[in-house]
Amino acid sequence: MSETTELRVPLPDLTAWTCPAPLRDQPRVVMGHGGGGAMSAELVQHIFAPAFGGQTLSQLGDSAAVSLGGVRLAFSTDSFVVRPLFFPGGSIGDLAVNGTVNDLAMSGARAAYLSCGFILEEGVEVSVVGRVAEALGAAARVAGVEVATGDTKVVEAGHGDGIFINTSGIGLIPAGVDLRPERVVPGDVLIVSGDIGVHGVAIMSVREGLEFGVEIESDCAALGGLVEAMLAVTSDLHVLRDPTRGGLAAALNEIAAASGTGVVIQERSVPVPPAVANACAILGLDPMYVANEGKLVAFVPREHADAVLSAMRAHPLGAAATVIGEAVEAHPGMVVARTGLGGTRVVDLPIGEQLPRIC
């Protein structure tokens, strides 16, 4: 090759490329904006919150605590776009009830009434709609909540994905209950109610046709009864959160940021079932960031921690509850994990999402 000869390498066509962790300055909405991580937070903080305003919205919790006629209510809404519609351990109908019931429970409220909006794509089989409706009704009865009102819309074929559902719910907050991340103080004990990462891996296994040697079922469940058992011990719980999109890592980062405390977790104490750990290793996922639909995390004053933990373990949905860490004065707003080898790593807020369309 002569000195004047140019080596020309064809440039790749980048137009069809996607990024699992999208850049933060996207001019258009990308999947990461719906993942419950940093991009979701920025969308809410820079677009929706300034447009809507209001002190109540600024709480940015799983549900809003409002006063009406001298009564404290929890009010929440959620939309469900999971794919596939049916999965081991549940369906979009179960999620639509349990997701909203759990958001209310994280305020200490027992859900009373739900609204339900179905968005159906033209061409979806009526029998499928019936199966989803039956699952939703059954889940509502188990959760002890009534579907009081609803709505149905149909969009043209190709403009939806079978069935989307929105549910809103209200419930009463008992007197003396004040669950907010701002109440977390150094010394609070961090408890998780059971195995993490189960729901997200269950969805991925059926979506991608993967087999891990054992069927992994979603942990989808209504947590109102578990929360009631905890509040029966003491109303002085500081904060509860169900780690759905973004997983345990997102929930803890949100609490740390809002409370101004640091959070330290013992990595070996975090309950990850072997099947989930193996699946995540194969898929290159971190269980800390994988969604859950039937678990909660609680920051509890140290003097009440043992009693609350015992009450959780006495309930079917908290039988595997365990202490995984604490709130600390050091590194405020940051979550760190102590590894089994004695090191420390930062558990950051995810930017986008590892698994889209999981709820």
Side-chain angles (χ1 to χ4, degrees):
M1 181 182 299
S2 68
E3 294 182 358
T4 58
T5 302
E6 294 185 4
L7 181 61
R8 297 185 180 274
V9 179
L11 295 176
D13 181 6
L14 306 181
T15 56
W17 284 28
T18 60
C19 179
L23 298 177
R24 302 272 285 273
D25 58 351
Q26 288 281 348
R28 298 179 184 273
V29 172
V30 296
M31 291 300 293
H33 283 115
M39 295 184 72
S40 292
E42 290 173 355
L43 194 66
V44 171
Q45 292 167 3
H46 299 304
I47 300 294
F48 298 130
F52 302 158
Q55 183 61 35
T56 303
L57 181 63
S58 67
Q59 300 172 22
L60 295 179
D62 287 332
S63 61
V66 299
S67 295
L68 187 64
V71 177
R72 292 182 69 221
L73 296 173
F75 179 34
S76 183
T77 189
D78 208 343
S79 299
F80 300 88
V81 296
V82 66
R83 178 173 59 85
L85 298 176
F86 301 91
F87 46 83
S91 70
I92 191 173
D94 300 281
L95 284 175
V97 171
N98 295 337
T100 296
V101 165
N102 291 347
D103 284 347
L104 296 173
M106 297 308 105
S107 291
R110 182 75 175 190
Y113 297 102
L114 296 180
S115 71
C116 179
F118 272 73
I119 300 175
L120 309 176
E121 182 183 18
E122 181 184 23
V124 66
E125 296 180 7
V126 173
S127 61
V128 173
V129 179
R131 288 177 61 196
V132 171
E134 287 291 336
L136 192 153
R141 288 187 287 275
V142 170
V145 64
E146 181 181 347
V147 179
T149 187
D151 181 53
T152 304
K153 294 291 189 296
V154 178
V155 298
E156 297 90 341
H159 291 264
D161 196 4
I163 300 174
F164 296 154
I165 302 176
N166 173 273
T167 48
S168 297
I170 57 172
L172 289 172
I173 301 176
V177 174
D178 183 18
L179 298 172
R180 293 178 289 116
E182 292 82 4
R183 296 194 63 215
V184 174
V185 296
D188 281 357
V189 175
L190 170 58
I191 303 173
V192 65
S193 64
D195 293 340
I196 68 165
V198 181
H199 174 71
V201 171
I203 295 295
M204 182 57 68
S205 67
V206 293
R207 183 184 295 173
E208 303 300 334
L210 303 175
E211 296 183 2
F212 302 112
V214 59
E215 184 176 68
I216 301 174
E217 291 193 355
S218 170
D219 59 346
C220 184
L223 297 171
L226 176 61
V227 172
E228 285 186 347
M230 298 167 68
L231 290 173
V233 174
T234 176
S235 61
D236 190 30
L237 305 178
H238 284 172
V239 70
L240 303 178
R241 190 63 59 90
D242 59 333
T244 52
R245 295 177 304 165
L248 183 62
L252 295 182
N253 270 278
E254 290 168 2
I255 292 169
S259 64
T261 65
V263 175
V264 175
I265 61 175
Q266 303 297 327
E267 197 166 57
R268 283 186 171 178
S269 298
V270 178
V272 182
V276 170
N278 293 337
C280 287
I282 293 170
L283 298 171
L285 304 176
D286 184 339
M288 291 284 291
Y289 295 93
V290 178
N292 313 272
E293 286 294 344
K295 300 297 186 298
L296 64 80
V297 294
F299 282 82
V300 181
R302 188 167 296 275
E303 62 268 26
H304 301 306
D306 288 343
V308 170
L309 183 62
S310 295
M312 293 175 72
R313 288 176 173 172
H315 191 279
L317 295 179
T322 186
V323 173
I324 63 170
E326 63 180 336
V328 297
E329 291 184 6
H331 50 78
M334 183 179 296
V335 180
V336 301
R338 300 250 173 89
T339 69
L341 298 177
T344 301
R345 69 181 181 95
V346 175
V347 181
D348 205 357
L349 185 69
I351 295 177
E353 62 184 334
Q354 296 185 111
L355 302 174
R357 302 280 299 280
I358 47 78
C359 64

